[in-house]
Structures are given as structure tokens and as C-alpha cells.
């Protein structure tokens, strides 16, 4: 990886993960263990890159006590930050993790980003993008910015020649696609929402990825949970899987997949293999802990071209 990666998390969080024996509604649950991590999808991409010796800069709007905590947590990890102060309070997201790997997440909506604050964040991103190899915009949009304003940011980045990656959902994902993002990383639900149809087979996934490419995206990396991932780009179609024997927490797995894919050059079987190794390692770790080189095992990753279109999805 030659250039700098800029990650942008418009709605970051402080992630609190509580390990509980079993989730029972209406009961007092005692947590066996707990972790606090800096959170948000772009933040996690930066953390995963750093854990593997690759520096990036994370752009985050932050406010209130949780905003200060987020900055402290990220600085303690050594993540390079471009923090834009905002009036609202940074959100806290809760994960309840059960021993079988089931996670229940409660994500706050997040603080409103005013027009002036969004303009400040956009300026910081556009300025820093001039020297970036990739700009990676991830996660949900906070309340406030219109989809038109977000689309304009994506379009300006693409017009400036930036390689843009977007990992978001709903209209924000489609904004990245129509702006001509070089890469989008929908998960299964996001892909289904983007094309208006639930994929049941690998053929459905590949068809949906082709639709996003026809609508403007360069490369589509569709993550499919335990079914692995499908990569569709100008070179063709690849599918890969990396089985995990004991899943502990899937939180941040998609962010680790994306980070590994970018770290390995974002093209072809080698990048897909790397992404899958990072994703599988993240699933084996608690909370949203990001894998380090010693957590990675590429020997279990299987990547093949042109998956059988009739193969059903399981997860
Ligand atoms: N249960 C699982 N077993 C094995 N790998 C998994 C599992 N869940 C996720 N992964 C890995 O993590 C990647 C991202 O997970 P996914 O749930 O698709 O994304 P997101 O976290 O964005 O929703 C997958 O492509 C896969 O490589
Ligand atoms: O922006 P969103 O979609 O609310 O997601 C934010 C959450 O996603 C994470 O980045 C983890 O990603 P996943 O839950 O998709 O694996 C958390 O750190 C954070 O709490």
C-alpha cells in the first residue's frame, strides 16, 4: 500500500460490549465481562489497519463527554485522528454478546450534525483527500445532513480523482454508487435493500453486484457473514469463504474484511483472501477487537472464480 488511507466516520461511537450468559427479556442480566472500544465503521477500519502496521487518518466529528472518551480511546490506541468538534453528544452503542457468538446490538441514532458542522467535516475530508490513496466513508449517516449534501461530498471526491470506498446502507450506499465510488462493501442486508430483492443464492448476489456496478460502482465487495464474500469487478467474479470454528463476536467483522481488502491492494484473489482472513479473525475475537498479524490464518481461506449460481446462501 503506497499512499495514505483516510477513513471517514460521520457517526462514530463509543462501543460497550457486555458478555451475558443468555439474553432474557425483562430480566436483570449480570455481565460476565465487558469491553469498551472506540467504534464506528471507519474508526474500525483505521484500528484494523493500525493493528497490522498500516497508518491511516480517521476523520471523526466528536462532541460531549463520549466524544472526549472516543478521542482518548483512539489516541491510546495510536490512531491518527482528524477530530472535528460538534455541539451534539457522540453516541454510545451497546452490544450484548452470548457465548454461542450471538450478538444483539443497540445502536443510538447519534447526534445531529448541523449544516455548518457537515460543511466543516466535508472541508476537512476534501483537504486531506488531496494526498490520500483512498478515502473510505463508512457507517450510518447521522441525523442532519441531507442525502443531497452527502452525494455532493462523494461526487466532489470522485471529481477530484480520489479513490472512494463507501460502506454504508440505504440511500448513503446508493449515493456512493451513483457518485462512482471505486469500491462499495454492502453486507447481505444492505445489498438486498440496494436492489430491492432478498438474495437467496450466490447467483442472486452476483446479479445484485452487477446492478451496483452498472449504476456506477467500480468494484463491489459483498460480505455474506458465514457465507464469506463475493467480489465483482472489471476482472470478473470471485467468491471466498473462511470458516470460523468458534465465533465470539461478529461486531466489526465487515470493517476488518474491508481493511484487509484495502491493505492488500483492493484487487483480485489475493486482496479477497486477505480480507477474508481479517474478517474471520475479527469474528474469533471478543467485542470489536481488531486482529493483529498473529491472529491471521490465511490457510483456511478458499477463493474460487465464478461460484455456482444455484448455490444457496445459509447465513
Ligand atoms: N459467522 C461467521 N463465520 C465466519 N466468518 C464470518 C462470520 N460472520 C462474519 N464473517 C466474516 O466477516 C465478514 C463480514 O461479515 P458480515 O456480517 O458480512 O459484515 P458486516 O459486519 O458488515 O455486517 C464476512 O465476509 C466473513 O468473512
Ligand atoms: O453506523 P452504524 O451502522 O450504526 O454502525 C456502527 C456500529 O458498527 C460498528 O462499526 C461495527 O460494525 P458491524 O456491527 O457492522 O460489524 C460498531 O463499531 C458501531 O457501533
Amino acid at each position: 500500500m503506497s499512499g495514505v488511507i483516510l477513513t471517514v466516520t460521520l457517526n462514530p461511537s463509543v462501543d460497550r460490549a457486555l458478555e451475558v450468559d443468555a439474553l432474557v427479556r425483562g430480566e436483570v442480566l449480570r455481565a460476565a465481562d465487558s469491553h469498551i472500544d472506540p467504534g464506528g465503521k471507519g474508526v474500525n477500519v483505521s484500528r484494523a489497519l493500525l493493528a497490522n502496521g498500516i497508518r491511516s487518518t480517521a476523520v471523526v466529528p466528536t462532541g460531549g463527554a463520549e466524544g472526549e472518551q472516543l478521542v482518548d480511546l483512539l489516541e491510546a490506541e495510536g490512531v491518527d485522528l482528524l477530530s472535528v468538534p460538534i455541539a451534539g453528544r457522540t453516541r454510545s452503542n451497546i452490544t450484548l454478546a452470548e457465548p454461542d457468538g450471538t450478538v444483539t446490538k443497540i445502536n443510538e441514532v447519534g447526534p445531529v450534525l448541523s449544516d455548518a458542522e457537515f460543511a466543516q467535516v466535508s472541508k476537512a475530508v476534501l483537504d486531506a483527500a488531496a494526498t490520500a490513496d483512498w478515502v473510505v466513508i463508512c457507517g450510518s449517516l447521522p441525523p442532519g445532513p441531507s442525502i443531497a449534501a452527502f452525494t455532493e461530498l462523494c461526487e466532489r471526491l470522485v471529481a477530484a480523482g480520489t479513490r472512494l470506498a463507501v460502506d454504508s446502507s440505504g440511500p448513503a450506499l446508493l449515493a456512493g454508487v451513483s457518485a462512482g465510488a471505486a469500491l462499495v462493501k454492502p453486507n447481505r442486508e444492505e445489498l438486498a435493500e440496494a436492489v430491492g430483492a432478498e438474495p437467496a443464492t450466490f447467483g442472486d448476489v452476483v446479479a445484485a453486484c452487477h446492478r451496483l456496478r452498472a449504476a456506477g460502482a467500480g468494484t463491489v465487495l459483498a460480505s455474506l457473514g458465514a457465507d464469506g464474500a463475493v467480489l465483482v469487478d472489471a476482472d470478473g467474479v470471485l467468491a471466498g469463504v473462511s470458516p470460523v470454528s468458534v465465533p465470539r463476536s461478529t461486531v466489526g467483522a465487515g470493517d476488518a474484511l474491508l481493511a484487509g481488502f484495502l491493505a492488500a491492494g483492493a484487487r483480485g484473489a489475493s486482496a479477497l483472501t486477505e480480507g477474508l482472513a481479517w474478517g474471520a479473525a475479527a469474528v474469533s475475537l471478543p467485542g470489536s477487537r481488531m486482529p493483529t498479524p498473529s491472529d491471521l490464518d490465511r490457510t483456511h481461506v478458499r477463493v474460487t472464480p465464478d461460484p455456482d449460481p444455484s448455490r444457496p446462501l445459509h447465513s
Side-chain angles (χ1 to χ4, degrees):
M1 174 63 54
S2 53
V4 175
I5 296 178
L6 191 73
T7 68
V8 182
T9 312
L10 294 171
N11 201 0
S13 59
V14 173
D15 280 9
R16 293 169 198 279
L18 303 171
E19 295 195 4
V20 295
D21 278 346
L23 195 55
V24 190
R25 288 180 63 206
E27 292 287 317
V28 174
L29 304 175
R30 305 282 172 192
D33 204 356
S34 67
H35 315 266
I36 293 189
D37 291 303
K41 295 189 198 304
V43 162
N44 287 340
V45 170
S46 280
R47 294 170 66 224
L49 290 170
L50 184 63
N52 289 274
I54 300 166
R55 297 210 77 87
S56 66
T57 297
V59 180
V60 276
T62 55
E66 284 83 353
E68 282 174 29
Q69 188 180 13
L70 176 64
V71 169
D72 289 348
L73 288 165
L74 285 169
E75 284 180 350
E77 289 195 7
V79 173
D80 293 325
L81 272 187
L82 218 164
S83 165
V84 180
I86 58 166
R89 177 185 62 79
T90 296
R91 63 184 172 152
S92 289
N93 291 342
I94 310 287
T95 298
L96 301 173
E98 294 173 76
D100 67 354
T102 306
V103 295
T104 305
K105 288 210 70 185
I106 306 170
N107 288 2
E108 284 192 65
V109 173
V112 170
L113 215 54
S114 69
D115 288 348
E117 288 167 343
F118 183 69
Q120 259 182 295
V121 176
S122 296
K123 181 172 180 337
V125 172
L126 286 160
D127 288 349
T131 52
D133 195 30
W134 279 97
V135 172
V136 188
I137 305 182
C138 304
S140 61
L141 288 192
S146 66
I147 203 67
F150 179 73
T151 305
E152 188 189 332
L153 171 61
C154 293
E155 286 172 350
R156 287 180 67 184
L157 285 165
V158 172
T162 306
R163 278 201 289 177
L164 172 67
V166 175
D167 175 5
S168 191
S169 50
L173 172 66
L174 293 177
V177 169
S178 68
L183 170 66
V184 292
K185 196 230 57 86
N187 66 16
R188 182 176 168 170
E189 293 76 32
E190 291 156 356
L191 191 65
E193 192 184 2
V195 300
E198 188 63 47
T201 63
F202 277 77
D204 294 341
V205 170
V206 170
C209 292
H210 280 310
R211 275 184 61 185
L212 296 189
R213 274 180 42 74
T219 294
V220 182
L221 175 63
S223 68
L224 304 169
D227 285 311
V230 163
L231 174 65
V232 181
D233 64 12
D235 299 328
V237 179
L238 295 170
V241 72
S242 183
V244 175
S245 45
V246 188
R248 281 193 75 184
S249 166
T250 54
V251 180
D255 309 330
L257 169 83
L258 177 57
F261 184 73
L262 290 169
R267 258 191 96 170
S270 54
L272 181 57
T273 300
E274 195 68 5
L276 287 164
W278 291 36
V283 170
S284 311
L285 293 167
S288 63
R289 189 166 330 147
M290 290 293 133
T292 60
S294 64
D295 298 313
L296 302 176
D297 177 2
R298 298 164 185 90
T299 58
H300 291 115
V301 181
R302 296 281 169 269
V303 170
T304 50
D306 301 320
D308 175 357
S310 65
R311 198 167 114 209
L313 296 173
H314 297 105
S315 58

